[in-house]
Amino acid sequence: MESSGCAEMQEIVIVGGGLCGLATALALHRKGVKSVVLEKSETLRSAGAAIGVLPNGWKALDQLGVASHLRTTALPLQGMRITWMDKGNEKFTPYKNIGEVRCLKRSDIVETFADALPPKTIRFGCDIVSVEMDPITSLPSLLLSNGKRIGAKVLIGCDGWRSIVASFLGLKPAKTFRSCAIRGLTSYPNGHSFPFEFVRLIVGQTAVGRLPITDKLVHWFVAVQQGTDAKFPQDTQVIKQRAMGAVSGHPADVQEMIEKCDLDSLSFAHLKYRAPWDLMFGNFREKTVTVAGDAMHVMGPFLGQGGSSGIEDAVVLGRNLAKTINGSCFDHEEALDQYIKERKMRVVKLATQSYLTALLIENRPIITKIFVVTVMAIFFRNPNAHTQYDCGLL
């Protein structure tokens, strides 16, 4: 790993060293293809505390060769339990009919990816200012905040929902849900007694989620509805107090979980999404420039597929770009077109189901919810079908 250097030309440049960016670099590395990851921050990013990984995500991680190690960092979850505390109703869905589900610390994933990459693959402190096409070579060129330029034969934007690469492609900005989420981790040095279930406790318009990672570590979130223009505190003590206030009507063990949270793990932000219709009609390639992960299809967490879908992107990108190196008839543009062809309807379906689920959760008119239930009954008769997807061999 090294800091940004002088003007240069690289074969493949990945912007963003988050889950998708590092997964893409690892997929390429497994296929013998060198890439460079340009990361804005000075260290590996792990914002968001943890993510749930469903069976389709484990299939992708298996292809990257890191699933076995990551399984040692988290215990499997047995099912999902939703309790509407105002009504006294409860619903339990066992995961035995779905497959392997675990909640992984985000830092465990990014560190595992990074450790599997060759030295100097990741360059920290690389703040991308703009992307443009070189008028002579017709190849993408990146301008960094320090004035340096880096050229690339292939440029992949994995730089999140505020993606500079997505803006270059002309994609419409990500939209904002009415819901926002406080996320965090809580350690229990002497162990916790929670069942290994994804538990959601709902009181009014506030939902608390709890996902054990190990017998001594729990991931949690507090979801509340707030105006789309609301500003959020960054001070972790203030975030903690906001979370405590939101769960004042919840059981004592929930309040204790937040009271004893790891402050450094806290985040508070609106939930973002790229509209399904923007995904359907959006342009995801300009010459040899494309996007992946949240830069392509940021979605709400309602299906638990944000992280896994980005890892799927990485496997498909690695598979197709490797064909340009290994004597196939593909050139770079054809490889990217094939990647987009394989991924487009998958992410449109995920984004649509996630968006419709959000409409059911948010405070919407009853006529809207009746319409949404009808649409989902027609198009998503098996609401867990998305977990059985297989992105294929690397």
Side-chain angles (χ1 to χ4, degrees):
M1 303 178 189
E2 64 186 28
S3 59
S4 57
C6 300
E8 61 187 282
M9 173 62 70
Q10 292 286 340
E11 186 77 19
I12 299 177
V13 171
I14 299 165
V15 179
L19 286 184
C20 183
L22 296 181
T24 300
L26 182 54
L28 291 166
H29 173 58
R30 296 294 192 214
K31 300 294 286 186
V33 180
K34 182 181 178 182
S35 65
V36 172
V37 179
L38 304 182
E39 168 54 37
K40 179 178 180 179
S41 67
E42 298 294 339
T43 58
L44 289 173
R45 287 187 288 120
S46 58
I51 65 168
V53 180
L54 298 165
N56 56 292
W58 287 106
K59 290 174 183 175
L61 290 171
D62 274 323
Q63 292 304 309
L64 296 180
V66 295
S68 294
H69 171 71
L70 287 172
R71 286 184 176 101
T72 68
T73 69
L75 294 168
L77 300 177
Q78 304 304 315
M80 179 171 64
R81 188 179 303 275
I82 305 175
T83 302
W84 291 268
M85 300 186 68
D86 295 343
K87 305 173 184 177
N89 296 339
E90 184 173 282
K91 178 183 178 182
F92 179 72
T93 304
Y95 284 151
K96 64 181 180 181
N97 297 325
I98 295 175
E100 182 178 9
V101 180
R102 299 175 197 247
C103 183
L104 301 180
K105 278 181 67 179
R106 192 175 286 264
S107 60
D108 285 342
I109 307 175
V110 296
E111 288 168 12
T112 299
F113 288 166
D115 289 345
L117 291 170
K120 302 185 180 181
T121 297
I122 308 171
R123 300 186 183 184
F124 294 109
C126 293
D127 187 7
I128 309 301
V129 175
S130 65
V131 179
E132 58 187 40
M133 284 294 178
D134 187 294
I136 298 175
T137 65
S138 295
L139 293 174
S141 173
L142 294 160
L143 175 64
L144 277 61
S145 59
N146 62 6
K148 303 295 185 181
R149 285 191 179 274
I150 297 178
K153 293 183 180 178
V154 176
L155 175 62
I156 305 168
C158 300
D159 45 341
W161 65 267
R162 290 176 288 195
S163 169
I164 291 175
V165 181
S167 296
F168 168 78
L169 292 174
L171 296 179
K172 293 184 178 179
K175 301 179 185 297
T176 304
F177 283 116
R178 296 180 184 179
S179 299
C180 57
I182 301 173
R183 298 181 175 99
L185 298 169
T186 300
S187 299
Y188 295 83
N190 298 318
H192 62 76
S193 58
F194 300 128
F196 274 81
E197 300 171 351
F198 173 16
V199 172
R200 289 181 62 205
L201 304 172
I202 301 171
V203 178
Q205 296 299 313
T206 301
V208 174
R210 184 182 67 221
L211 300 91
I213 298 174
T214 68
D215 56 0
K216 295 183 179 180
L217 183 65
V218 172
H219 171 50
W220 55 265
F221 63 82
V222 179
V224 296
Q225 297 195 32
Q226 202 158 331
T228 56
D229 58 351
K231 303 297 182 183
F232 298 104
Q234 299 304 309
D235 182 274
T236 54
Q237 283 286 1
V238 177
I239 295 174
K240 176 181 171 180
Q241 292 308 312
R242 291 286 292 272
M244 289 296 296
V247 302
S248 59
H250 282 73
D253 60 356
V254 170
Q255 298 182 46
E256 179 189 34
M257 177 178 68
I258 294 172
E259 176 63 37
K260 295 182 176 181
C261 71
D262 304 333
L263 285 176
D264 290 344
S265 71
L266 294 180
S267 64
F268 189 9
H270 263 301
L271 303 179
K272 298 288 184 176
Y273 70 102
R274 202 174 292 287
W277 47 93
D278 290 340
L279 287 171
M280 178 66 79
F281 301 108
N283 172 46
F284 297 112
R285 181 182 72 80
E286 180 65 33
K287 296 188 180 296
T288 59
V289 180
T290 193
V291 284
D294 283 354
M296 182 186 197
H297 49 71
V298 61
M299 63 186 75
F302 310 107
L303 301 183
Q305 288 286 14
S308 292
S309 59
I311 299 170
E312 289 176 359
D313 291 344
V315 172
V316 179
L317 265 170
R319 179 170 64 233
N320 284 295
L321 282 172
K323 294 176 183 177
T324 69
I325 309 296
N326 298 333
S328 170
C329 60
F330 271 21
D331 64 24
H332 287 140
E333 294 187 16
E334 290 171 329
L336 296 183
D337 281 342
Q338 182 62 28
Y339 154 70
I340 294 166
K341 179 181 178 181
E342 290 185 44
R343 294 304 295 159
K344 193 163 194 174
M345 289 313 300
R346 164 65 170 166
V347 298
V348 166
K349 289 176 181 177
L350 286 175
T352 301
Q353 189 175 355
S354 177
Y355 176 71
L356 292 173
T357 303
L359 294 182
L360 289 177
I361 293 173
E362 292 182 345
N363 187 19
R364 301 279 183 166
I366 188 65
I367 188 67
T368 300
K369 297 198 174 191
I370 292 172
F371 172 75
V372 169
V373 169
T374 303
V375 171
M376 292 190 75
I378 296 171
F379 294 102
F380 301 103
R381 299 180 74 178
N382 177 1
N384 296 317
H386 60 90
T387 68
Q388 304 307 303
Y389 180 84
D390 188 342
C391 62
L393 298 177
L394 179 58

